[in-house]
Structures are given as C-alpha cells and as structure tokens.
Amino acid sequence: MSASLMASRDQLYHPVAHIMLREQWEASYAADIEAILRLKQEKNAVILAHNYQTPEIFHCVADIRGDSLALARAAQTIDADTMVMAGVHFMAETAKLLNPEKTVLIPDATAGCSLAEGITAENVRELKKRYPGVPVVTYVNSTADVKAESDVCCTSGNARRIVESLGVSRVIMIPDEFLARNIEAETGIEMLTWPAHCEVHERFTPQEIKQYRRLHPGLSVIAHPECPPDVLAAADHAGSTAQMIDFIDQKKPPKVLLVTECSMSDNLAALYPQTQFVRPCNLCPHMKRITLSNIRQALETMQTEVTIPEHLQHPARMAVERMLAI
C-alpha cells in the first residue's frame, strides 16, 4: 500500500479508532468506504444517516447525521442531485416529500418500521370520523399516505411543542401509543391514541433498568419517549436521540445507559470516550438492513429510487412543512 493511500486510510479510520480494531475495519469496511466516497463525488450525492446506523456508516461515509427531525431539516438545504437515506423507508419518503426534484435512494426498500406499518390511511380516516374536528398529529414514523391524512407531523424531539402549539384540549396522536401517553403526562392534554409501538423500545422494562442500576452504581439512565411510560418513570431523563446527545455533551456523565437502539451507544462512544456506555443491545432489524455494501450498490446502480404518488405529495408535504415551521 502506498504512503499516500495509507495516510488517506488513517484519516478514514480515525473517527472509529476508539471503538473498532484497525484490522477489522480494513478487512470489512475500508474498500466499500473508499468506493462510496468516490461515488458520492461522481454522482453529486450525499448520504443522510440516522443515529441508529452502525459506526462505519455513521462516522465514515455519512454527510448528514441525526434524528429524523435533523434529517428532515437538512433535506431542505442539501445542494446535491441525489440523496441516499441510510435509515428506514419512511425517512426516505420524508426526504423525497421535501425535495421532489431530487433523486432519493433507499439501499434496501424493505427497511421498514413497525410504527409506520402499524396504521393505514383508512385507519386515520376512521379516527377523524369518530372524533370530528380533533386535530391529527402524526409521528414522522409513518407512511406518506398516513401523513396526507394528518394536520401536522411531529418527532419525538418536538412532539410536546407541536401538541401545545395547537391550543386544544384533545389531540389524535398517532401511531405511537407510548409516545402519545408520555406527551399526555407532560402536557395534561388528552391524547386519543392508536395501538402501535416501536418493536425495539416496547421491549424495555423498569425491572431491566433496576437491574442495570444495581450492577452499575452511579448510572445515568436516559430513555427514548417511544418506551412505555413506566420505563420513562424509571429513567433519570427522557428525550429523542438528539436530546440524548445534548444531555451527554452538556452533563458529561461518567456512566450512561441509553434506553434505545444500541447502535446509538456505539456511535456516541466514538464521540465521547470519557463516558462509559452500558449497552442494553436491542437492535432495530430494519435499520440493520442498511449496510456499506448496499449503500455502495445503490450509488452504483441508482436503485432503489423512492417515489410518492402524485395525489399524496401536496397533503403529505404540508403536514411535514407545518411541523418544520413550528
């Protein structure tokens, strides 16, 4: 290997040096990373990576990183012809809604979400008939046709602000029942809910948190709002993935349990080596469908392109844009 190539690889490896052996990185990831970086230049493409992506994606090839709100905002300002969503399908749809003139690729079209798959547009129409005049707040973890039936979208990071901005005493909040119940507890606003849950976050229990506290004295516990309410009650702090990062950055706790998808801890361990991350490893099988290999293939073949039926584009976009405006 030439000296210049070795120096280039040193730079590419550096962001994950704290959490990954060089030999593993070279053998499993280096060639795909170099190919992806070259293809991004050739195709005038950017990669948007959710906080739950694995470190070799998150730190080594992503241009924009964050939670679903950060990715939605960034999608509006990206100067590129093509966006590759290193996340799940509803995130790619949201990027396409906000950038209809751009090509949006999803490396694996089967990367779904239990929340997005847990409700249909027909279900929303039935709710609106049952509760006429009650505003519909829809979590971004939803399909475009569900967003099109909604008044405004929200994320776990801005849900409280969105709900309170409506100035009403009752809200239809879908599809995440636990997020809705947690916002109801915070605001006192009645939530009319739908029984869908995140298959990762619904598995956490208060007993699990108590066990981790016994094993790790001084542990700071931060839970995602998609967890059941009794899990949030057992935690020290609750917040979206972006709010988790802010907490660690500002408070600098010595030992942390992130009650969320476990790649989040891997990514933050690379950024905050002074903090010990205790890892309850609940993986999202949908996020893990995205790999360096299929990101590379997506850029080589320009597949799979995300499209949205024309009749859904305007109403779904309006629900997302209303969220971004608040």
Side-chain angles (χ1 to χ4, degrees):
M1 187 181 297
S2 68
S4 61
L5 181 56
M6 178 62 76
S8 173
R9 285 200 168 181
D10 287 344
Q11 274 189 315
L12 295 176
Y13 170 67
H14 178 73
V16 294
H18 178 64
I19 60 171
M20 190 181 299
L21 292 174
R22 178 66 178 258
E23 293 80 5
Q24 176 194 3
W25 184 87
E26 289 278 357
S28 302
Y29 307 128
D32 280 335
I33 289 168
E34 290 172 340
I36 289 167
L37 296 180
R38 183 188 73 251
L39 286 161
K40 285 198 298 182
Q41 287 189 320
E42 292 174 1
K43 303 293 179 76
N44 189 24
V46 295
I47 296 173
L48 284 68
H50 189 268
N51 289 327
Y52 293 159
Q53 286 302 309
T54 51
E56 68 276 6
I57 294 173
F58 189 84
H59 290 292
C60 298
V61 300
D63 300 287
I64 307 294
R65 309 167 184 86
D67 62 6
S68 53
L69 178 59
L71 298 181
R73 290 191 183 281
Q76 293 182 301
T77 60
I78 289 171
D79 183 20
D81 297 323
T82 298
M83 291 185 285
V84 181
M85 178 57 71
V88 294
H89 196 274
F90 78 80
M91 297 177 184
E93 277 193 335
T94 304
K96 183 65 177 179
L97 282 171
L98 296 172
N99 298 271
E101 76 289 354
K102 294 184 186 296
T103 298
V104 177
L105 304 176
I106 182 84
D108 187 329
T110 66
C113 169
S114 60
L115 285 167
E117 293 159 10
I119 192 168
T120 66
E122 179 59 30
N123 296 146
V124 185
R125 288 191 286 269
E126 290 171 1
L127 284 169
K128 292 197 290 186
K129 287 179 183 176
R130 196 182 312 163
Y131 305 107
V134 178
V136 178
V137 177
T138 297
Y139 198 23
V140 291
N141 298 39
S142 55
T143 58
D145 57 343
V146 168
K147 288 181 174 73
E149 294 291 338
S150 310
D151 294 296
V152 62
C153 287
C154 74
T155 70
S156 58
N158 65 17
R160 177 172 182 168
R161 186 168 73 251
I162 297 294
V163 166
E164 290 181 331
S165 74
L166 300 175
V168 296
S169 59
R170 298 176 94 198
V171 169
I172 298 170
M173 191 169 189
I174 55 174
D176 191 330
E177 181 181 18
F178 292 150
L179 177 63
R181 290 297 175 218
N182 290 324
I183 296 301
E184 182 177 62
E186 289 183 21
T187 64
I189 298 169
E190 182 186 0
M191 297 293 153
L192 306 172
T193 66
W194 185 259
H197 308 117
C198 169
E199 64 189 275
V200 173
H201 292 103
E202 71 176 346
R203 300 204 304 266
F204 292 106
T205 66
Q207 293 73 26
E208 187 178 6
I209 292 176
K210 289 176 184 176
Q211 183 178 7
Y212 278 110
R213 287 194 192 278
R214 285 196 297 269
L215 294 172
H216 301 277
L219 185 67
S220 295
V221 179
I222 314 173
H224 195 281
E226 291 176 16
C227 292
D230 57 356
V231 171
L232 264 63
D236 301 305
H237 181 73
S240 67
T241 56
Q243 290 163 340
M244 289 178 174
I245 295 171
D246 289 343
F247 182 92
I248 292 165
D249 187 64
Q250 294 165 16
K251 303 294 185 182
K252 297 178 173 53
K255 192 181 297 186
V256 168
L257 172 69
L258 297 182
V259 188
T260 190
E261 212 271 357
C262 68
S263 286
M264 181 80 181
S265 295
D266 295 335
N267 290 328
L268 292 187
L271 295 173
Y272 300 99
Q274 76 281 0
T275 295
Q276 178 186 346
F277 289 89
V278 177
R279 291 171 169 82
C281 205
N282 287 356
L283 286 169
C284 174
H286 307 290
M287 285 285 182
K288 296 308 176 271
R289 290 183 183 276
I290 308 302
T291 65
L292 282 176
S293 177
N294 59 27
I295 291 173
R296 177 179 179 175
Q297 185 177 27
L299 286 167
E300 287 172 342
T301 65
M302 298 301 287
Q303 294 294 324
T304 299
E305 184 174 355
V306 175
T307 60
I308 298 170
E310 187 173 350
H311 71 283
L312 297 176
Q313 291 175 17
H314 177 70
R317 184 184 307 120
M318 288 299 296
V320 176
E321 289 181 344
R322 288 187 193 110
M323 171 188 74
L324 296 176
I326 295 173

